[in-house]
Amino acid sequence: MTEARGSAGPNGGTHARQVPGTPCWVSVMVHGMAATQDFYHSLFGWEFRPGPQQLGPYVRALLDGHEVAGIGQLPPDRHLPLAWTPYLASDDVDLTAETVRLCGGTVGVGPLDAEDAGRLVIGSDPAGAVFGVWQAAAHLGTSLDGVPGTPAWHELLTFETASVAKFYETVFGYEEKPVVSTDIDYVTLRLGDRSVAGIHGVGQARLRDWGPHWMTYFEVADTDEAAARLVDLGGHVLEPPHDTPHGRAATVADPEGARFSLIRTAR
């Protein structure tokens, strides 16, 4: 993580409809819905209420009444690497899906309506990383940020940035801001004057077991305490808490293996 978006301040912020290309929602598909809800309730304080059921059982996580993330249930016969998946805003999900295909990506689910909430696509980029696209109707997406338990940043871990950054730039209209360094292959994706996501080229070796994937960073009040609590709850620390220029971070996994990061953003 080399650049994080600005937070909404200590009391958080709420959002209207997002500019196309902005990460506007994040969700994870798991096998054990009840156990996963218990885990994230204990870790982040989330409460839950039912969401659209087009793809099976699904709940939305809430903090202080604000929707922040989603959890869905995988079919019993689907055994896939689990990861939190960001949804990128679109004004026309059908057109975005066609553009994904034309640019070498794959559309795996949709486009389809999620009741009256909106319209979605789940696809993958040319390197294989899965992402979602969301055209908002009644559900605008994550409605709170800048407080513990909310998404703070989204970062794509992939083999190299050059080709895959062009894909996202073409599909979503981002401007690229490369990090000028001989030690790191990193591109920040920007919309106007705002950084909204990052792409980190980490080479073949680091992705041998997982392949390219998106990583969501969740804000916490204390990274070390949150990582220790996560272990007590049955999760796993993959990269211990460490200081970065943008805060103290740790890479972790929930009890089913879904990967994400914890960060106490530098103020």
Side-chain angles (χ1 to χ4, degrees):
M1 180 181 185
T2 69
E3 184 170 356
R5 70 182 184 186
S7 74
N11 297 317
T14 58
H15 299 281
R17 184 181 298 272
Q18 296 282 11
V19 174
T22 306
C24 62
W25 188 243
V26 63
S27 67
V28 66
M29 302 292 287
V30 300
H31 292 287
M33 286 281 285
T36 298
Q37 289 176 67
D38 288 344
F39 171 82
Y40 286 103
H41 170 75
S42 298
L43 183 63
F44 292 141
W46 290 351
E47 303 291 342
F48 299 93
R49 67 180 174 208
Q53 308 292 305
Q54 270 76 4
L55 301 179
Y58 189 84
V59 295
R60 292 177 182 156
L62 294 88
L63 268 179
D64 299 325
H66 296 283
E67 295 177 339
V68 296
I71 299 174
Q73 184 164 340
L74 282 168
D77 59 343
R78 297 292 298 275
H79 297 284
L80 303 171
L82 304 183
W84 283 91
T85 300
Y87 282 72
L88 309 175
S90 172
D91 286 340
D92 186 337
V93 111
D94 295 76
L95 178 60
T96 301
E98 184 60 27
T99 307
V100 166
R101 294 188 185 98
L102 291 172
C103 293
T106 301
V107 173
V109 176
L112 59 84
D113 291 324
E115 299 176 2
D116 63 349
R119 191 161 171 81
L120 67 85
V121 153
I122 300 174
S124 57
D125 65 31
V130 175
F131 63 92
V133 184
W134 181 252
Q135 181 180 337
H139 175 64
L140 297 178
T142 302
S143 60
L144 182 70
D145 67 13
V147 298
T150 61
W153 184 247
H154 301 278
E155 186 170 279
L156 172 63
L157 301 179
T158 191
F159 301 122
E160 50 82 27
T161 64
S163 59
V164 76
K166 292 298 182 186
F167 167 83
Y168 287 98
E169 178 183 354
T170 303
V171 175
F172 294 104
Y174 300 124
E175 294 182 1
E176 299 177 29
K177 181 183 177 184
V179 172
V180 180
S181 171
T182 58
D183 300 323
I184 186 170
D185 178 16
Y186 198 97
V187 171
T188 301
L189 301 176
R190 297 175 62 86
L191 292 170
D193 60 355
R194 190 160 69 105
S195 299
V196 297
I199 301 177
H200 190 184
V202 297
Q204 295 278 347
R206 185 171 169 185
L207 298 174
R208 183 178 298 112
D209 296 330
W210 267 70
H213 60 279
W214 280 90
M215 175 73 70
T216 295
Y217 288 74
F218 289 98
E219 187 73 36
V220 292
D222 183 318
T223 304
D224 295 75
E225 186 276 333
R229 180 152 36 101
L230 173 138
V231 171
D232 290 341
L233 294 169
H236 308 278
V237 174
L238 307 177
E239 186 176 1
H242 58 283
D243 292 325
T244 78
H246 301 283
R248 189 160 177 81
T251 303
V252 298
D254 69 19
E256 284 206 23
R259 295 185 176 196
F260 59 100
S261 289
L262 308 169
I263 186 165
R264 168 59 167 144
T265 304
R267 305 297 184 187

